[in-house]
Amino acid sequence: MKFINKAFLSLALAGTFLVSSCDSLLQVDPRQSIDANGALNTPDAVDAALNSVYARLRSVRNYGRDLFALADALADVGQTTSNSGRLIGENNNQPNAHFQAGFWQNSYFAINEANLILDGLSGVQGASAAQLARWEGEAKFLRALYYFDLVKVYSYIPTAIFQQGVTDEGGIPVVTEGVVTSSAAFSRQTPRSSIDQVYTQIYADLEDAKRLLTSRGVQYASSGAASALLSRVALYRGDWAKVVAESTTALASNVGSVLSGSAYVNGWRTPVNPESMFEVRFALAEESIGVNESLQSSYTALLNLSNKNSQGGWGDFIPNATVRGFFGLTQLQTGTPATDNNNWDVTRNSDIRAQLYTTGNTVRGAGRQIEVTKFLSKSGFAYADNVPVIRKSEMHLNRAEANYRLGNAADALAELNAFKALRGLTAVNLSGQALLDEILLERFKEFAFEGQRFFDLKRNGRAIVKTTPAVNLPFDDFKILPPIPQREVDGNPNLNQNRGY
């Protein structure tokens, strides 16, 4: 997604000055010249502005890496190899090794852009009713997604809130009006809204997005994607009936497909995953994140699957013994000589997801390791895979869990077994806590290396337990939450820091 309006691009560049000059990052990147040059009063300019909000999702600090790889490093999905030294602190759950200030900064930049778009829609000249509806719907969907990602990271999740008894850390600051001047940015010292208030705002934006949008491709917001995201948000909120309703609506939409068997594996080899309901798009080679911090480089040392000897990324984060056990993965020599990386693969069980793992190569210091291949140059150029933010299969697991929580155990079991069949697994006959645990286990297997496990543990109030590295982080440990960027706290007396920092 590229800027198509030079005036708007100049505003974005001008806004970078404020990153280094202001004390508070929450309100930075105001568009100082919008009123003067009319950058948002034409359809082309609004489209360019929306492209900018979409493009920020590609940041390494957001879906370019951290919301998947860093989140899973914090959880119990994998282990680090020390090939580059990245993600080791997060994998060890060390203090301050968590989501970084850039995640907060980039997300609030995007929220401010979305707010400015929404504020300016009434002044767009020559816009049709359909265009106005689409712009509003997409801006609200994106604002909801950024707010949801922020609140699930920096705050407790409604289904499991640790109460210290003295200080309620609360949610995150919610602002719904754009900032145009630096003076307005500096003077607006927004406190943290309550967790419930943040979720209420997200609900409102997604309900509007559902009403306003149709579909123009999974790289853009759609009504179906809004229902899918609302299903996930409701799951985190513990709004079980809402989860069932929105999952059902999303599954009935024409956005995305639920895949099984080899089609599921092949879906991970295409530029756009057919299961995607919303996907962050990398369309151009110059958008590549590069060999250091992309998802491909984080997960595998391979450049591609056609020649395992070709040097690719760093393979910093690989499946741990638990995940290898899920899929029956052990290294297997398939030919000679053993020095040729193409003569190695893995053993696998009948779970179709095992096909998404193989051996890497020996070009890095840790040597040949078992790696995940969900992200491997799918877009046709290295280190810039499209990222499925929401896949349609998730709706089945959301609905199964919500039905269990509602007391509809039979429906939950039937949905779970139908999902297992999609992945080549036999049915189970479980009830009570064992049924819930099995649903959560399927989530673990399905979304390994897609950034959901940390938040699933967090929303269930469960400890993070790892063998390699040796970690036992209870839910009430302060390191479950990251610190709010200190510059934010220093520049805003109304913004309280998370405990322990």
Side-chain angles (χ1 to χ4, degrees), residues 150-157 170-172 192 195 458 481:
L150 283 165
V151 76
K152 75 184 184 185
V153 167
Y154 286 101
S155 303
Y156 291 107
I157 295 173
I172 55 171
R192 298 175 75 156
I195 293 172
K458 185 176 174 182
L481 300 183

Side-chain angles (χ1 to χ4, degrees), residues 12 27 50 133 149 167 207 257 322 391 427 449 501:
Q27 319 297 0
L50 266 174
D149 288 337
T167 302
E207 290 289 359
S257 302
T322 299
R391 291 194 289 111
F449 299 92
Y501 299 103

Side-chain angles (χ1 to χ4, degrees), residues 235-464:
L235 188 76
Y236 283 45
R237 201 178 196 183
D239 190 354
W240 311 122
K242 185 73 168 175
V243 177
V244 172
E246 297 300 336
S247 297
T248 301
T249 299
L251 285 167
S253 77
N254 61 359
V255 181
S257 302
V258 176
L259 301 178
S260 64
S262 60
Y264 172 79
V265 177
N266 292 337
W268 285 101
R269 304 289 175 248
T270 60
V272 176
N273 192 318
E275 283 216 335
S276 289
M277 300 195 74
F278 179 68
E279 192 165 286
V280 174
R281 184 183 182 190
F282 288 78
L284 304 170
E286 53 264 36
E287 294 168 350
S288 169
I289 288 175
V291 72
N292 289 327
E293 293 185 289
S294 66
L295 285 173
Q296 176 182 351
S297 186
S298 297
Y299 291 157
T300 177
L302 297 175
L303 184 63
N304 53 59
L305 287 173
S306 61
N307 182 7
K308 288 186 174 183
N309 293 309
S310 297
Q311 180 171 322
W314 288 96
D316 287 318
F317 187 62
I318 60 175
N320 60 17
T322 299
V323 174
R324 296 196 302 269
F326 288 160
F327 306 116
L329 304 175
T330 59
Q331 292 199 33
L332 176 67
Q333 185 176 346
T334 58
T336 56
T339 54
D340 187 340
N341 293 295
N342 293 305
N343 291 326
W344 289 85
D345 195 7
V346 294
T347 61
R348 299 180 179 90
N349 62 22
S350 61
D351 191 319
I352 194 64
R353 292 168 294 200
Q355 301 293 326
L356 296 172
Y357 298 82
T358 189
T359 48
N361 57 37
T362 54
V363 300
R364 301 297 183 185
R368 187 184 298 108
Q369 301 288 336
I370 295 175
E371 302 170 341
V372 65
T373 61
K374 287 183 175 181
F375 300 94
L376 199 62
S377 304
K378 297 181 297 179
S379 296
F381 42 89
Y383 316 123
D385 293 284
N386 290 348
V387 182
V389 176
I390 311 169
R391 291 194 289 111
K392 203 161 192 174
S393 284
E394 180 187 341
M395 299 302 103
H396 286 299
L397 292 169
N398 289 359
R399 191 164 64 181
E401 181 178 342
N403 269 319
Y404 171 84
R405 309 252 189 207
L406 288 167
N408 304 326
D411 289 339
L413 180 61
E415 186 116 43
L416 172 64
N417 282 329
F419 181 82
K420 281 179 170 288
L422 295 173
R423 301 296 177 257
L425 304 177
T426 57
V428 295
N429 186 15
L430 302 170
S431 61
Q433 184 65 39
L435 175 55
L436 176 61
D437 289 344
E438 190 70 14
I439 293 169
L440 295 176
L441 180 63
E442 281 304 316
R443 290 187 70 90
F444 190 172
K445 292 188 285 187
E446 180 71 14
F447 298 112
F449 299 92
E450 294 179 66
Q452 293 208 33
R453 177 64 175 173
F454 174 71
F455 302 106
D456 282 342
L457 291 169
K458 185 176 174 182
R459 68 184 176 84
N460 283 286
R462 297 189 176 188
I464 299 173

Side-chain angles (χ1 to χ4, degrees), residues 15-29 101-102 104-105 109 186 189 483-495 497:
T16 61
F17 168 76
L18 294 166
V19 176
S20 59
S21 64
C22 73
D23 290 329
S24 173
L25 292 180
L26 172 57
Q27 319 297 0
V28 298
D29 208 67
W104 175 285
Q105 173 184 320
F109 279 2
F186 300 151
Q189 297 178 332
I484 290 176
Q486 193 59 45
R487 287 176 64 189
E488 290 290 343
V489 177
D490 293 343
N492 183 354
N494 299 319
L495 186 63
Q497 180 61 276

Side-chain angles (χ1 to χ4, degrees), residues 75-111:
D76 55 359
V77 175
Q79 61 195 62
T80 53
T81 61
S82 301
N83 280 338
S84 77
R86 297 180 184 89
L87 299 175
I88 293 175
E90 292 85 354
N91 201 216
N92 283 287
N93 297 94
Q94 296 172 350
N96 291 300
H98 213 298
F99 281 84
Q100 302 175 26
F103 168 62
W104 175 285
Q105 173 184 320
N106 185 62
S107 299
Y108 274 109
F109 279 2
I111 288 167

